[in-house]
Amino acid sequence: MEKLVIDISDWQENLDFDDVAKTDVEGVIIKISEGLSYTKNLWHFVGACKRHNLPFGFYCYSHATTKEMARQEANEVIYLLGTLDMEEKEPPLGIWYDVEADEMFEEGIDTTAICSAFISYLNRQGYSKVGIYTSSLKCTDYMVNSIRPKLLADYVPYWIADYRGFNEFAQNYPDKHCSGWQYDAHGNIGGVEVDLNEWYDEF
């Protein structure tokens, strides 16, 4: 059965986790970095999740336009994970590569290769729960400057944003693993706006 998961960044720095605990939220995905810059509320968010027994994961908002830049972003994620006091190496809700920045989809950019470089780098460092966050509209079978799921391994999970009332990615790529669906960008917890997600994986 799907679970309610929220994702948060420095935009939600005023989120009161006591308010979160009063809702049906069962997990939180925290922005760990953007490019090579860390999220300033990262440690606060992780501590709050621990205090409220909320499983958590992380996402990196990418600005990579080359495979080398993607590997640098992955290395930064590993460094930041090492600064967190986590019981296990891998966060229960995984690590997600947020692929939505305009520069990642410009003409001549091999977006799929960039995604593969990030995921492969983390896989080689022992992180197995690594996937892609993006929107349905950024995935195609034919455009180089798009995410082409058919060129990526079937074990790669996807977390998809689609606010049209349905998850088009899941319909177009039924053989790919969709871990979660971000269906609303305007949830509200204690007056703080948060993204709402249906989560299908166990954690």
Side-chain angles (χ1 to χ4, degrees):
M1 185 176 179
E2 67 269 10
K3 307 171 189 66
L4 177 60
V5 167
I6 61 172
D7 57 276
I8 58 175
S9 68
D10 281 336
W11 290 106
Q12 285 79 33
E13 64 179 345
N14 294 321
L15 181 64
D16 188 332
F17 276 73
D18 288 339
D19 291 334
V20 176
K22 297 172 185 175
T23 71
D24 294 327
V25 170
E26 296 186 61
V28 180
I29 304 180
I30 302 163
K31 182 178 180 180
I32 192 169
S33 58
E34 180 165 342
L36 301 181
S37 300
Y38 63 86
T39 297
K40 68 182 180 69
N41 284 290
L42 172 63
W43 296 269
H44 163 67
F45 288 150
V46 170
C49 284
K50 288 180 179 180
R51 288 192 299 274
H52 290 84
N53 295 314
L54 283 167
F56 53 88
F58 301 103
Y59 74 91
C60 164
Y61 187 104
S62 176
H63 288 284
T65 54
T66 66
K67 291 186 287 185
E68 179 54 33
M69 290 174 68
R71 287 188 283 267
Q72 290 173 359
E73 290 178 337
N75 194 56
E76 179 67 12
V77 168
I78 293 171
Y79 167 74
L80 290 170
L81 289 171
T83 70
L84 302 170
D85 182 20
M86 298 196 300
E87 293 181 4
E88 299 181 359
K89 179 175 181 177
E90 293 201 73
L93 271 72
I95 300 168
W96 298 91
Y97 199 36
D98 185 337
V99 185
E100 60 178 299
D102 289 344
E103 61 266 31
M104 299 187 74
F105 297 91
E106 292 178 355
E107 186 175 354
I109 301 298
D110 190 340
T111 314
T112 307
I114 291 169
C115 292
S116 181
F118 180 90
I119 294 168
S120 297
Y121 189 96
L122 282 163
N123 288 164
R124 288 194 298 271
Q125 302 303 317
Y127 296 92
S128 60
K129 299 178 182 179
V130 187
I132 296 169
Y133 166 88
T134 194
S135 72
S136 294
L137 300 176
K138 295 188 181 298
C139 299
T140 76
D141 294 329
Y142 58 91
M143 294 176 62
V144 173
N145 56 321
S146 71
I147 299 170
R148 292 175 287 172
K150 291 182 179 180
L151 297 184
L152 291 167
D154 288 339
Y155 65 76
V156 173
Y158 295 83
W159 167 26
I160 297 296
D162 202 323
Y163 307 140
R164 298 173 293 177
F166 62 96
N167 184 346
E168 186 180 54
F169 176 92
Q171 296 176 6
N172 290 343
Y173 300 98
D175 295 334
K176 296 298 182 179
H177 183 77
C178 190
S179 295
W181 169 32
Q182 186 182 93
Y183 61 89
D184 191 349
H186 302 291
N188 188 295
I189 298 178
V192 177
E193 191 170 76
V194 296
D195 297 331
L196 302 178
N197 306 269
E198 281 188 359
W199 207 257
Y200 310 116
D201 289 353
E202 296 296 323
F203 45 76

